[in-house]
Amino acid sequence: MSVQERKQRERAERERLIVATARELAEEQGWDAVTTRRLAERIEYSQPVLYSHFRGKREIIGAVALQGAAELAAELRGASAEAGAGASASVEGVRGRVTALARAYLDFAERNPAVYDAMFQLDGGLAFAAEDTPEALKDGFAALLETLRDVAGEGVEPGLFTEVFWASLHGLATLTRAGRLPVGDAERRVWLLVSRLAVV
């Protein structure tokens, strides 16, 4: 391995450590607790080292958001594939995949509140629904679309339907977390969303 390759590998490892530490700190204490000073203390690097990777907290939030989008996409695909394994193309089979997708989304949001905030609530400097949207964000949307395109209904553009379904999931996740919706009805809400919105 050349010196240049070793330096690149060390740089990538430092960057992963910064992102992982920011994410851990945010999940423990909230994003207000994530400062370059606290990150530097936790990972035992100087603040200038952190700034050589990220220009500030906004870019760190963006990096956590991209990582979260990749994880969410993988979980959505996994849940849909698992629900579809051995299932037929029947109404119940399709409904099962959409239900699994919705549950996986809501479970991810509940398990990873700080990451979810980085993805959808905080300014991470990332463009959404634009030409320069990062690939990880596009892939997160694609993971929804892959399952939902078949249930949009006749004459409904699948991408637009996916946006509405996603907005519904986001609303459920956000309102439940804020204590605006009773936790005990989560399963009934998923059933209503799937049975009333998805045309299967």
Side-chain angles (χ1 to χ4, degrees), residues 128-146:
F128 282 81
E131 209 171 286
D132 59 340
T133 298
E135 286 305 313
L137 298 181
K138 289 179 184 177
D139 190 52
F141 185 79
L144 290 166
L145 180 62
E146 289 161 12

Side-chain angles (χ1 to χ4, degrees), residues 21 30 53 72 89 97 100 106 108 121 124 170 177-178:
T21 304
H53 290 273
L72 177 59
R97 286 193 303 279
L106 295 171
F108 179 88
Q121 302 291 109
H170 175 69
R177 182 168 151 209

Side-chain angles (χ1 to χ4, degrees), residues 18-88:
I18 293 165
V19 171
T21 304
R23 183 174 171 164
E24 180 182 293
L25 187 57
E27 292 292 1
E28 289 171 4
Q29 300 175 33
W31 278 104
D32 287 343
V34 179
T35 64
T36 54
R37 182 185 58 77
R38 291 189 75 188
L39 283 173
E41 288 171 4
R42 275 215 179 181
I43 62 176
E44 299 179 346
Y45 285 124
S46 67
Q47 284 183 316
V49 169
L50 265 79
Y51 284 117
S52 73
H53 290 273
F54 300 100
R55 287 181 289 198
K57 183 175 176 176
R58 182 178 188 225
E59 284 190 4
I60 294 169
I61 290 169
V64 170
L66 293 175
Q67 188 180 74
E71 291 170 10
L72 177 59
E75 288 190 28
L76 294 176
R77 286 187 176 107
S80 184
E82 186 176 319
S88 66

Side-chain angles (χ1 to χ4, degrees), residues 112-168:
N112 304 284
V115 174
Y116 194 81
D117 283 349
M119 292 166 67
F120 302 120
Q121 302 291 109
L122 302 174
D123 179 11
L126 304 174
F128 282 81
E131 209 171 286
D132 59 340
T133 298
E135 286 305 313
L137 298 181
K138 289 179 184 177
D139 190 52
F141 185 79
L144 290 166
L145 180 62
E146 289 161 12
T147 297
L148 296 172
R149 72 168 33 110
D150 296 330
V151 297
E154 191 174 326
V156 177
E157 199 276 306
L160 185 61
F161 175 79
T162 299
E163 290 171 355
V164 171
F165 199 92
W166 172 30
S168 299

